[in-house]
Amino acid sequence: MSNNTMLDNLKQTFTNLISFLKNPRDEAGPELSVAQKFNTVISLLIIEIPLMAVLILLISGLETLGLVDPDNHKILDMIKSYPVVLLLVLTVVIGPLIEEFIFRLYLRYKNNYALHFLISIVSLTGVRNEQKAETFFISLWKKRYKFIFYFSAIIFGLIHISNFEFSYTILLLSPILVAPQIILGLIIGYSRVRMGFISGLLLHSLHNAFFIGIPLFFMLNDTEKLNAETSSFAIKIEETNDISIPSTLKNYPDSLVYKNVSMKTTLTYLLNTNEILLNTNDTVMLDKTLHLNFKNKSKDSSQTKSIALNQLAKSYDFKIKKSTIPTEVWNLEVVNPALLSKYKSNNNAFGNMITINSEEIIIEKAKISALVNALIPKSNKMILDKTGSDDNYNLTLKTKDFESIKKELKEKYGLSLVKQKINLEHFTVEFQKPE
């Protein structure tokens, strides 16, 4: 298909879709060949992808604000529980087939077997009653079809709220959280009514393949390094090459959840040091990207990081040596306490979260030390927390260059970076079998 033909097909499909959604009717579309139906399904997929992308970004914003916990999601639980191939079969084949039977098969009156069953029951009382019942249902169906069609999409969307762990916040945000599924239900519903059940099923499967299958494809590169559980702790370490998600570090008193984080950064947090002070005999190993999930089952939460560090060292066969070396540092100090206090977090119940991407650092419900640890690899400077603050903050910092970082810290947050040279403890990570 040429570019012009594809573009024309997209425009026509979009026009037909909008026209149908304004006034849904139980009417099949014009006769189309298999190739024409397939092209229309692809056009519908192309139309819905940017809509889904916008809504996913909106939901990601809610996650960033801490209103939604991305770790409490049934899809994520399935990803953790099932092999990738089985998960693909469930989400791309079996799931869509079941959902299409339940939510959209009945959108054509001729396939509404529940109504036909009721009419057959009435037929037991006589032919005349059967005809009256069928006339009544057909009339009601045509008159209320718009409501029936929209209702099917809304119910399809709302059923997916069960993917989230229930809370009153989730309930209030449900119109946003299930908006992608409602819109998907409308578009698949159009495909089902106008082109048949198979077309709707195909669109549903292609949607899941795109939005679930592609991320799962990246997960095929994940290698499980350690998965162990004892009476004292549970730990899972995976090596990953998934560049589609940002680095996040969640630190709780009794658990650690690090996603897409380098081993160097992981060790920085476990050792309570920073990357500038971390050396190694194998840089390739320190550059490995990990998912780390650790749960401390003991009553002593102060041992959380040390136990995790010990397990990481055993898994990768390394030892850590310490030495004191004169080092140039930048001290982070408070110069405007009133300005900094504006960003103090009043909700610290669920631990902290640090998100690092190519353009910014986002600190949520975390101490200034977390900002310092995130700043060091971005600035390639040795930075020390001299604020003396033990409060938690919500901070977002652009990371264009070091000078702009210094400027934003001072003007926006009332923090200043001051250079000094002092003796500091350095760590050397020695791998016993360097690559």
Side-chain angles (χ1 to χ4, degrees):
M1 185 183 292
S2 68
N3 291 337
N4 287 337
T5 304
M6 186 63 189
L7 185 59
D8 290 340
N9 193 44
L10 270 172
K11 289 179 180 178
Q12 187 60 53
T13 301
F14 181 75
T15 300
N16 293 341
L17 172 65
I18 297 302
S19 177
F20 177 86
L21 293 180
K22 286 180 179 178
N23 187 27
R25 292 184 179 180
D26 182 8
E27 295 176 359
E31 279 294 324
L32 299 175
S33 65
V34 172
Q36 288 173 321
K37 286 183 178 181
F38 181 77
N39 289 336
T40 302
V41 167
I42 295 300
S43 295
L44 288 170
L45 181 67
I46 293 172
I47 289 168
E48 63 118 340
I49 284 175
L51 293 174
M52 296 297 128
V54 170
L55 291 170
I56 289 170
L57 285 174
L58 179 59
I59 294 171
S60 297
L62 296 177
E63 293 174 355
T64 300
L65 292 172
L67 298 173
V68 177
D69 187 352
D71 291 323
N72 286 325
H73 196 283
K74 285 189 177 178
I75 295 296
L76 185 59
D77 291 339
M78 289 176 65
I79 290 172
K80 293 177 180 177
S81 303
Y82 298 108
V84 172
V85 174
L86 176 58
L87 193 56
L88 282 172
V89 172
L90 289 172
T91 57
V92 177
V93 181
I94 297 176
L97 183 61
I98 293 172
E99 290 182 338
E100 289 308 305
F101 267 113
I102 294 173
F103 294 103
R104 277 171 284 276
L105 178 65
Y106 71 90
L107 287 180
R108 293 302 310 278
Y109 180 83
K110 65 180 182 178
N111 300 124
N112 195 318
Y113 300 111
L115 287 183
H116 294 319
F117 177 74
L118 288 176
I119 293 171
S120 67
I121 295 296
V122 174
S123 69
L124 297 176
T125 65
V127 175
R128 187 172 180 181
N129 287 336
E130 178 187 2
Q131 291 174 342
K132 284 183 178 181
E134 185 161 11
T135 301
F136 170 78
F137 281 127
I138 291 174
S139 175
L140 185 65
W141 182 262
K142 290 180 178 179
K143 188 181 295 184
R144 301 297 182 188
Y145 188 74
K146 182 185 291 189
F147 169 81
I148 293 167
F149 180 84
Y150 292 147
F151 181 76
S152 73
I154 292 170
I155 291 298
F156 174 71
L158 290 177
I159 202 73
H160 286 83
I161 199 66
S162 62
N163 286 334
F164 299 89
E165 185 174 321
F166 177 80
S167 70
Y168 289 113
T169 300
I170 293 297
L171 191 61
L172 289 171
L173 294 174
S174 59
I176 298 173
L177 298 177
V178 301
Q181 286 81 17
I182 291 175
I183 290 176
L184 178 64
L186 292 172
I187 296 175
I188 296 177
Y190 163 77
S191 179
R192 185 269 176 275
V193 173
R194 300 294 284 174
M195 295 186 294
F197 180 81
I198 298 300
S199 295
L201 174 61
L202 177 61
L203 179 57
H204 195 160
S205 295
L206 289 174
H207 168 91
N208 284 8
F210 186 87
F211 286 98
I212 299 177
I214 292 178
L216 283 176
F217 173 79
F218 284 106
M219 288 183 63
L220 289 172
N221 294 321
D222 292 358
T223 303
E224 187 173 274
K225 184 69 177 181
L226 176 64
N227 192 350
E229 185 168 0
T230 70
S231 59
S232 302
F233 66 85
I235 186 169
K236 185 175 183 180
I237 301 172
E238 294 176 294
E239 295 178 2
T240 178
N241 295 312
D242 188 355
I243 61 174
S244 65
I245 58 175
S247 299
T248 60
L249 302 96
K250 295 184 180 181
N251 297 277
Y252 305 94
D254 63 346
S255 59
L256 308 169
V257 182
Y258 295 176
K259 289 185 179 180
N260 216 34
V261 179
S262 70
M263 185 183 294
K264 189 172 187 178
T265 300
T266 299
L267 287 170
T268 295
Y269 280 86
L270 296 182
L271 289 166
N272 293 317
T273 183
N274 51 71
E275 294 190 10
I276 298 295
L277 303 180
L278 205 60
N279 303 300
T280 186
N281 64 338
D282 191 343
T283 56
V284 173
M285 290 296 292
L286 279 195
D287 286 338
K288 284 182 177 293
T289 307
L290 309 177
H291 296 325
L292 168 66
N293 285 273
F294 178 79
K295 175 70 175 179
N296 182 6
K297 297 181 181 180
S298 71
K299 294 181 180 179
D300 187 2
S301 61
S302 66
Q303 297 299 308
T304 296
K305 287 186 177 181
S306 62
I307 298 173
L309 176 61
N310 184 49
Q311 293 300 310
L312 189 67
K314 287 182 179 179
S315 297
Y316 286 94
D317 195 16
F318 65 75
K319 295 181 180 179
I320 297 175
K321 294 184 177 180
K322 302 178 184 179
S323 58
T324 302
I325 302 173
T327 309
E328 181 183 275
V329 303
W330 291 82
N331 295 323
L332 185 65
E333 303 172 352
V334 180
V335 292
N336 191 335
L339 190 57
L340 180 61
S341 66
K342 294 180 180 179
Y343 300 93
K344 190 180 296 184
S345 173
N346 296 317
N347 177 18
N348 305 314
F350 301 105
N352 60 67
M353 182 173 176
I354 302 96
T355 302
I356 306 168
N357 56 46
S358 59
E359 298 180 351
E360 61 187 6
I361 297 169
I362 303 170
I363 304 297
E364 300 174 71
K365 299 179 289 184
K367 301 184 188 307
I368 296 295
S369 58
L371 172 65
V372 168
N373 288 334
L375 269 174
I376 290 169
K378 283 290 186 180
S379 63
N380 200 31
K381 306 285 185 183
M382 179 57 220
I383 302 173
L384 297 179
D385 178 14
K386 296 294 184 178
T387 63
S389 174
D390 198 40
D391 294 318
N392 290 339
Y393 297 89
N394 296 317
L395 311 171
T396 299
L397 188 70
K398 302 295 182 183
T399 56
K400 184 178 180 182
D401 54 60
F402 188 61
E403 289 303 315
S404 64
I405 288 172
K406 287 170 60 180
K407 183 178 180 181
E408 186 174 2
L409 281 171
K410 190 168 187 178
E411 294 180 356
K412 185 175 180 180
Y413 299 115
L415 296 168
S416 178
L417 284 167
V418 181
K419 188 161 63 173
Q420 185 185 11
K421 194 166 188 177
I422 60 173
N423 289 329
L424 285 178
E425 191 172 55
H426 288 239
F427 297 85
T428 301
V429 183
E430 293 188 350
F431 291 90
Q432 304 307 299
K433 298 177 181 178
E435 292 188 353

